[in-house]
Structure formats: C-alpha cells, structure tokens
Amino acid sequence: MSPTKEHIILTSFRLFLQKGYKEVTMNMLVKATGLSKGAFYHYFENKEQLFVETLDNLFFSISPFNNEMIINPEVSFFDYMQMYIDNIKKMAKTVSTYVGEESSGMGYYRLMLDVAHYAPDFHKKIDASNKYELAFWRKVVENGIRKGEVKEDLDVDILANHFQWLQDGVALNSIFSGDPDGLYSNLDKVFSQLYKIIKK
Amino acid sequence: MSPTKEHIILTSFRLFLQKGYKEVTMNMLVKATGLSKGAFYHYFENKEQLFVETLDNLFFSISPFNNEMIINPEVSFFDYMQMYIDNIKKMAKTVSTYVGEESSGMGYYRLMLDVAHYAPDFHKKIDASNKYELAFWRKVVENGIRKGEVKEDLDVDILANHFQWLQDGVALNSIFSGDPDGLYSNLDKVFSQLYKIIKK
DNA sequence: AATTTTATTCCGACCGTTCGGTCTGTTATT
DNA sequence: AATAACAGACCGAACGGTCGGAATAAAATT
C-alpha cells in the first residue's frame, strides 16, 4: 500500500475514533493529513468507503487476544485470568496510542455503533470476535474444572459468559465515568473476588 | 407545557433514540411532527437546546428504579435480585414504547454518547444515576450479609459493583448481538448462578 | 354582545454556510 | 510521452436557522 494511503488511513482512524463517523468531515481529514481533496478521492471512492477500509485495516486489529492466549492445559485458571487482564490493558494502550490522549475509550464504543450503522457487514466480525472470546473463557473454565481448581457444580457456559459480561460492564463503566485507569483496578478487584468464590 | 411542545419533545426523543443527534435533521423532525420550522423555532432556540430539553424531559425519566426499590430489611437478597431484573425488564419495555419497534436498544447507548458530547452537564446526571444504583446494591448486599443470607467474607463494595457491572455487560451484549430478549434470560441465568455461589 | 386591538401560535419560502463530491490543471514518476 | 499522484477551486444538495406574515386565541374597548 502506498505510504500516502497508509497515512490517510491512520489519520482518519484517529479522527473517527475521537469523534465518530458523522462528526468527521472530509475537510477536517484533508487538513489533518496535510493533503488535498484530490488525494483523498484519488485513493478512495467516497467517505463511506474510506471509513470501511479504515475499519478493515485498523479497527479489527485491536483485539484483546494474541498468540499467547492459546489454551495451554498446564496454565492455571488464575494465571489465565491475569493474562486476560494484561491483554485488556495492552489493548487499551493500543487504542490510546492511535487516538493520542483525548477521548479516552468513549470513541471506541462510538465507533462500534457507527460500524453497526454504516458497515453492517462488520457487525458479523464483531460478533465473531465475541464468539471467539467466549470460546476462550469456555476452554479456560473447562480446564479449570478438570484440573480441580474450579468448583465443578457450575455451568460452564454461564460462567464463561459471566467473565466476558463482567469485563464488558467494567469497561463500559470506566469509560462513561471518565476514569480509564479504573478499568484495570476494577477488573482486578472483581475478578479476584469472583475467583475466590468459584475456587474449589 | 403546551401540547404542541410536548408533541415536539416526544417525537424528537423517538427519533433521537432511533438515530442519534447528528443523524436527525430539523426537516425530519418537522415532517415527523406534522408541524413546521416556525413551530420548532418558536418553542426552541436551536437544535441543541431542543436536544437538551428533550433529554431533560424524557431520557432521565427512564430509570430501572421506582418506589418499590426502597430497601426493606424484611425482603431477602434473592427477592431483591428478582425485583431488580423485573425493573430492568420494565425499563426496556418503556424504552421500546417510546422508540416504537425499531432500533432495539442500540439507540439508547448511542444517545448516552451523544449526551456526553453535546450536553456534558448531563454526564453528571448519568454519574449520579450510577451512584444511586450502586448505593442500592450496596444496601442490598449489606442487608443480605446481616441477615446471614450472603457469605460474610465478601467485600461489600466489590460485590455491589459486581452486580451492576454484570448488568451493564449483559445489556451491552444483548444489544450488540441484536437479541433484546436475551437480556432477561441471560441476566436471570448469570445472576442466579452468582447467587448460588455467594449464598452462605 | 359586538368590535377592535393585542399577543400568541404556527406556516413555509428563503438565507448563509457547510457538506460530500467533482473536475481541471499541475507536478512528479516511469 | 504517458501515466499516476496530487492540488484546490468549484458544484449542487442539504444543513440549521431566519423572517415576514397568516391564522387563531385572548384581552381590551366600545
């Protein structure tokens, strides 16, 4: 990909993440990139395609999962929990790298809503990502039960969902309360206590 | 308040809830109300003030709490949990009454983001509402512990937050997955299992 | 009670601005 | 010489908002 195009995409992503699709105008993008209208419409058909291509390149690369997250039967439930929190932390760092300092994580949710509205196809990708995350928790829970670390009279699906939902809720709340750092400490606290009561 | 103004506010709220602030144009509102530009700008200074006033009248009246939710020491933790779920259900029903059928609950979150952006003062109200909800859970948990229904070696604050975050996470997920009814069943499942493990 | 005056409510054509997008021309690359 | 990479003036449409006036209701005067 041409360096100019890459520059456009990165700058656009930053702005979309800060303000959302509708709030970002082409002239803002032109100004922010230091380029011209001509350059934009040379590389992209229209604003919507630019948005979609931007998402395709960067939005879905932000994921709390990496290669280390592949399930290893040796690793304990507790360690996976910590690993998960670390990855959330990394992901948040990645987002704030793109977005600079402003707008905290609010833009991330805004963008998810825009995705649902302007690029309904990507909605499936978000769905798939959620499914993947759920499958992760499912395996971790199963593993924990098999190893005798976690109580066995618990419904695996519900507990897997429990962790995922809890993470979503904490993230949502830390974003809306404007306390991005609360995400980690709160996640740590509530996960630890939950672990304490599901531990055999 | 004049019936016309009330009509404007209700119609506007419906549309804002469906599409978000920027996506709703004055002409759409004019058409939807069956009135005219003149009528709008007779009652409101500009679009933003209309938005703010609409929120003030309707958005903040939607709350999962009503008079029955005042803490009664006689009521068990379990019953409060059920009551809470019922109120969530009622709240969702209220929203869908306003919004008609479309747009599910996605619009609710979109509107919360718009609130944070266009009416930062209301951000405090959302905060206050969260604090209130948290205080509710806190009392319920304390009461549950005092009555010997809930394990006493649990941190009250964390557990109170736990329930609230969990609710947020389930709501967020059911909205994004486009399964509004999943909210109730999932909430029921995960709350029940959580209850099982915090029960003395 | 009838009539005039005043104020309110509402209409819709219209305004300036901004939006996404186009098009012609210039510069750099091959 | 030909093509790709940009620049930026420009366009029609749509935006939020204005304004003079018509319709209606309320108050005042006769």
Side-chain angles (χ1 to χ4, degrees):
Chain A
M1 198 190 309
S2 118
T4 305
K5 191 172 179 180
E6 243 171 309
H7 177 231
I8 290 177
I9 285 183
L10 181 59
T11 308
S12 303
F13 185 58
R14 238 192 279 269
L15 276 174
F16 283 139
L17 207 48
Q18 275 177 27
K19 299 173 184 294
Y21 180 77
K22 270 268 174 170
E23 282 73 14
V24 175
T25 70
M26 291 307 286
N27 283 325
M28 289 172 59
L29 290 172
V30 166
K31 209 173 184 179
T33 51
L35 296 172
S36 67
K37 278 272 179 76
F40 270 80
Y41 285 91
H42 173 72
Y43 289 104
F44 303 95
E45 276 186 24
N46 49 43
K47 191 188 173 187
E48 201 166 322
Q49 210 224 30
L50 163 65
F51 183 60
V52 168
E53 208 153 331
T54 297
L55 293 174
D56 214 3
N57 273 276
L58 294 177
F59 187 65
F60 294 104
S61 69
I62 303 176
S63 168
F65 291 93
N66 58 24
N67 301 335
E68 301 168 23
M69 296 302 273
I70 291 166
I71 308 299
N72 177 354
E74 309 266 328
V75 180
S76 70
F77 185 92
F78 185 81
D79 286 341
Y80 266 121
M81 226 176 61
Q82 295 299 329
M83 206 184 291
Y84 180 78
I85 293 177
D86 280 351
N87 273 324
I88 294 286
K89 205 175 293 194
K90 274 183 204 158
M91 176 185 164
K93 282 273 191 304
T94 308
V95 173
S96 70
T97 299
Y98 281 123
V99 85
E101 288 298 318
E102 319 177 48
S103 147
S104 67
M106 199 114 54
Y108 187 78
Y109 278 98
R110 175 176 286 272
L111 214 54
M112 283 189 76
L113 288 164
D114 285 339
V115 166
H117 192 243
Y118 293 101
D121 286 350
F122 286 132
H123 195 263
K124 293 172 193 163
K125 285 203 186 182
I126 292 178
D127 255 26
S129 163
N130 278 339
K131 286 252 167 56
Y132 187 77
E133 197 174 332
L134 182 61
F136 162 80
W137 277 114
R138 213 181 185 291
K139 281 182 201 154
V140 171
V141 168
E142 273 171 353
N143 196 40
I145 291 178
R146 191 166 355 94
K147 291 178 65 178
E149 188 181 0
V150 175
K151 288 178 182 167
E152 67 240 301
D153 61 335
L154 295 172
D155 186 288
V156 176
D157 272 328
I158 295 177
L159 190 55
N161 272 305
H162 193 140
F163 275 98
Q164 197 177 351
W165 288 329
L166 201 49
Q167 187 273 324
D168 285 339
V170 173
L172 189 70
N173 225 269
S174 81
I175 279 166
F176 270 101
S177 66
D179 174 28
D181 291 331
L183 174 58
Y184 320 126
S185 58
N186 288 332
L187 213 53
D188 199 52
K189 275 190 231 164
V190 75
F191 272 25
S192 296
Q193 176 155 282
L194 180 54
Y195 177 73
K196 211 170 75 180
I197 50 181
I198 65 169
K199 198 178 54 181
K200 205 168 183 179
Chain B
M1 198 192 307
S2 118
T4 306
K5 191 172 178 180
E6 244 171 307
H7 177 229
I8 289 176
I9 285 183
L10 182 60
T11 309
S12 302
F13 185 57
R14 238 193 279 268
L15 276 174
F16 283 138
L17 209 47
Q18 276 176 26
K19 299 175 185 289
Y21 180 76
K22 270 269 177 171
E23 281 73 14
V24 175
T25 70
M26 291 307 286
N27 284 324
M28 289 173 60
L29 290 172
V30 166
K31 209 173 184 177
T33 52
L35 295 171
S36 67
K37 278 272 180 76
F40 269 80
Y41 284 90
H42 173 71
Y43 289 105
F44 304 94
E45 274 188 25
N46 49 44
K47 191 190 175 190
E48 202 166 322
Q49 209 223 31
L50 163 65
F51 183 60
V52 169
E53 208 154 330
T54 298
L55 294 174
D56 213 3
N57 273 277
L58 294 177
F59 187 65
F60 294 104
S61 69
I62 302 176
S63 166
F65 290 94
N66 57 26
N67 302 335
E68 302 166 24
M69 297 300 273
I70 292 166
I71 307 300
N72 178 352
E74 309 267 326
V75 181
S76 71
F77 185 92
F78 186 80
D79 286 342
Y80 266 121
M81 226 176 62
Q82 295 300 328
M83 207 184 291
Y84 180 78
I85 294 176
D86 280 352
N87 275 323
I88 294 287
K89 205 177 292 189
K90 274 182 204 160
M91 177 185 164
K93 283 271 192 307
T94 307
V95 173
S96 70
T97 300
Y98 282 124
V99 85
E101 289 298 319
E102 320 175 48
S103 147
S104 68
M106 200 112 57
Y108 187 79
Y109 279 99
R110 175 178 287 270
L111 213 54
M112 282 188 77
L113 289 165
D114 285 340
V115 166
H117 192 243
Y118 293 101
D121 285 351
F122 286 132
H123 197 260
K124 294 173 193 164
K125 286 203 186 183
I126 292 179
D127 255 27
S129 162
N130 278 340
K131 286 255 165 57
Y132 188 78
E133 197 173 332
L134 182 61
F136 162 80
W137 277 114
R138 211 180 188 290
K139 281 182 201 156
V140 171
V141 168
E142 273 172 355
N143 196 41
I145 291 177
R146 191 169 352 99
K147 290 180 65 178
E149 188 181 359
V150 175
K151 288 178 183 167
E152 67 240 298
D153 61 336
L154 295 172
D155 186 287
V156 177
D157 272 328
I158 295 178
L159 190 55
N161 271 305
H162 193 142
F163 275 97
Q164 197 178 351
W165 288 330
L166 201 48
Q167 188 272 322
D168 285 339
V170 172
L172 189 71
N173 225 269
S174 80
I175 279 166
F176 269 101
S177 66
D179 174 27
D181 291 330
L183 174 57
Y184 319 127
S185 58
N186 288 332
L187 213 52
D188 199 52
K189 274 191 230 163
V190 76
F191 271 24
S192 296
Q193 176 154 284
L194 180 55
Y195 178 75
K196 211 170 76 180
I197 50 180
I198 64 168
K199 198 176 55 180
K200 204 165 183 179

